[in-house]
Amino acid sequence: MTIYFLGGGNMAEAIAGGLVKQGGYHVHIANRGAGKRERLARELGVQVSEKLPGLSADDVLVLAVKPQDMQAACAGLQTSGALVLSVAAGLSIDTLSRWLGGTRRIVRVMPNTPSKVGLGVSGLFAADGADEADKRLAQNIMAAVGETVWLENEAQMHAITGITGSGPAYVFYLMNALQAAAVQQGFDEKTARSLSLATFKGAAALAESSGEDFSTLQQNVTSKGGTTFAAVEAFNAHRLPEAIEAGVNACVARSQEMAQQFEAV
């Protein structure tokens, strides 16, 4: 069995790198750019080619090109019964199946960028043509770069896109805001970045080790009338929780809109 990647972008590199580090898999990446192929071969030690070679039913094909480029990338592609994993946002199983000659042996995956450091979260949903062995294989592949969660229905792919798929960007947004606030308080850029990073890193580690609800952890450092209380009151006054919810909703809506656009193609 060979795990083939169509596309050698950041997510393909992250997953392939995780598989190589874990060991036990034969990995091959097809990518148009010669420079990228050379780097992937050198840094990951995987086989590379400009185009996909012939596939067999024992192989896995990971579709890792941009959603807007997927139809062209799939044109003339023969899956030969291989298990297909798609990490492209907004492309439904029906759309992918239509572009891949009718195969339903497909598992959709929504990973996120912390997969690059083995701390990703991937939502998975299997088509009706993928059996339990296919699901186990897909889960094992994505477990090489972090945690996995199976979704109850395909519509939840939009929801998990809004939570974990795009979630790291929300965290970076908040980290940047805290860094900017530190600069405003008189710290230099380098120190401000270190303070923000250490605060998020420490808070996440504490939350994981304690197992307590996030709200309880917040209350533990929010004495009524104290300094943290004043900050939280200001956040609430500016409706920060509602703003975050609105952002997630906008992300989910855009994912749904993209799916509808691709279905019409």
Side-chain angles (χ1 to χ4, degrees):
M1 178 189 73
T2 298
I3 301 177
Y4 291 98
F5 287 81
L6 180 58
N10 291 335
M11 191 52 63
E13 183 175 353
I15 300 171
L19 292 171
V20 170
K21 184 176 181 180
Q22 180 173 292
Y25 295 99
H26 183 209
V27 179
H28 184 121
I29 300 177
N31 189 78
R32 289 181 298 179
K36 172 62 75 66
R37 291 199 304 271
E38 292 173 2
R39 185 178 68 80
L40 291 172
R42 181 177 65 254
E43 296 182 359
L44 299 183
V46 299
Q47 286 191 315
V48 296
S49 61
E50 182 177 1
K51 297 181 179 180
L52 282 173
L55 305 177
S56 74
D58 293 329
D59 295 324
V60 177
L61 172 61
V62 181
L63 300 176
V65 298
K66 295 178 180 179
Q68 60 268 31
D69 298 330
M70 187 67 76
Q71 184 176 21
C74 290
L77 196 160
Q78 300 295 320
T79 65
S80 302
L83 172 63
V84 177
L85 270 61
S86 171
V87 299
L91 292 177
S92 70
I93 285 171
D94 285 346
T95 297
L96 291 167
S97 178
R98 179 159 48 87
W99 291 349
L100 292 170
T103 182
R104 302 286 295 183
R105 196 182 175 199
I106 300 172
V107 176
R108 286 188 61 190
V109 182
M110 175 48 63
N112 62 7
T113 54
S115 297
K116 294 180 181 179
V117 292
L119 295 173
V121 180
S122 298
L124 299 93
F125 180 79
D128 48 17
D131 60 21
E132 289 301 315
D134 291 333
K135 293 174 66 175
R136 286 193 298 272
L137 178 54
Q139 180 166 327
N140 289 340
I141 290 171
M142 297 313 302
V145 291
E147 299 182 17
T148 61
V149 57
W150 284 97
L151 308 179
E152 295 180 0
N153 54 69
E154 190 172 8
Q156 286 187 312
M157 291 297 293
H158 302 300
I160 204 162
T161 297
I163 301 298
T164 60
S166 297
Y170 314 155
V171 176
F172 298 143
Y173 187 97
L174 294 173
M175 292 173 73
N176 187 61
L178 187 59
Q179 177 182 342
V183 170
Q184 193 274 332
Q185 291 295 327
F187 294 99
D188 61 76
E189 288 279 354
K190 183 177 180 180
T191 302
R193 185 183 190 279
S194 295
L195 291 173
S196 180
L197 180 60
T199 299
F200 276 80
K201 186 177 180 180
L206 176 59
E208 184 173 30
S209 65
S210 71
E212 293 185 291
D213 292 339
F214 300 141
S215 60
T216 300
L217 291 167
Q218 177 194 315
Q219 291 166 11
N220 289 344
V221 292
T222 311
S223 301
K224 190 170 183 179
T227 56
T228 307
F229 180 84
V232 172
E233 285 290 285
F235 294 154
N236 289 335
H238 286 81
R239 304 176 68 87
L240 182 57
E242 289 90 340
I244 293 174
E245 182 179 348
V248 171
N249 289 340
C251 181
V252 172
R254 177 54 182 154
S255 179
Q256 294 169 334
E257 181 182 38
M258 288 173 60
Q260 292 173 354
Q261 292 172 344
F262 287 123
E263 287 170 2
V265 175

